[in-house]
Amino acid sequence: VGKDLGDASMGDVLGEIADDAAMPVLARVLEDETVGDDVRGDAARAIARVGGSEARTLLLKALHADRSWVRTHAIEALVLLGDPTSVPMLMDLLAPSQASSVRVQAIAALAKLGGYETRRSLVPLYLDSDPRVRIEICAVLEGLGTAAALHALRMLLSDRHPEVQSRALAAYS
């Protein structure tokens, strides 16, 4: 796909597309493992702008891509799509076997797309071994106001990573 265009040029072109007729090309770019991750990300965002059930299907499929950055871009595009029905698939991306960037992006997406119960179900992630996950979970805890969320924030105030402590303090204040 697009062998005659450099990645940046292709990305610029893809970034402007929001037309149903372009969906087959966007789908090929998103799935083409020879195309750079950023260009595939541009395709994911363009797919989200086109919208519809085909967009949802393509983006959900991209959540299983081999490359973690493609999964991260697909998560961002699902947020742009505003699709709350993707919450169960996003929950699956919280597994410790997923790349940290994917897990962090999934938490941010779940905070936006999921309801109160979804956000509440994320509270135990304050115990996660990955400090990037603990930093991201602070944003979720900040808006909950439950006893469990406040307890988690208090615990994170004494985290061994200063960045986590700082984010917990900002959320707790």
Side-chain angles (χ1 to χ4, degrees):
V1 174
K3 299 293 183 203
D4 58 338
L5 290 175
D7 278 357
S9 297
M10 181 186 278
D12 292 342
V13 170
L14 290 175
E16 299 301 317
I17 296 174
D19 185 342
D20 258 348
M23 194 64 92
V25 172
L26 293 170
R28 282 197 311 271
V29 172
L30 182 61
E31 295 171 356
D32 187 342
E33 294 185 13
T34 66
V35 174
D37 294 343
D38 288 339
V39 174
R40 291 172 79 185
D42 290 332
R45 284 184 288 281
I47 287 169
R49 278 195 298 282
V50 172
S53 62
E54 185 180 5
R56 180 184 185 276
T57 301
L58 290 167
L59 295 172
L60 291 176
K61 183 178 176 187
L63 293 179
H64 302 287
D66 288 338
R67 309 255 326 165
S68 63
W69 283 111
V70 175
R71 293 192 305 274
T72 301
H73 289 307
I75 294 166
E76 291 172 359
L78 284 166
V79 171
L80 287 174
L81 193 60
D83 180 19
T85 65
S86 63
V87 166
M89 284 67 71
L90 292 170
M91 292 293 283
D92 291 343
L93 297 175
L94 298 176
S97 60
Q98 291 285 340
S100 179
S101 60
V102 172
R103 296 177 74 217
V104 166
Q105 194 65 40
I107 292 167
L110 287 163
K112 292 176 183 166
L113 296 174
Y116 176 77
E117 289 303 317
T118 298
R119 290 190 303 277
R120 229 173 59 127
S121 73
L122 299 175
V123 171
L125 289 174
Y126 86 92
L127 296 169
D128 197 90
S129 63
D130 188 332
R132 292 163 290 202
V133 168
R134 295 194 308 274
I135 288 168
E136 189 62 37
I137 205 64
C138 286
V140 174
L141 297 171
E142 181 175 13
L144 279 177
T146 65
L150 292 173
H151 170 74
L153 282 171
R154 281 193 296 274
M155 298 302 292
L156 291 170
L157 289 172
S158 59
D159 193 275
R160 66 186 178 277
H161 287 87
E163 300 88 4
V164 176
Q165 292 175 3
S166 176
R167 184 61 186 98
L169 181 59
Y172 196 75
S173 301

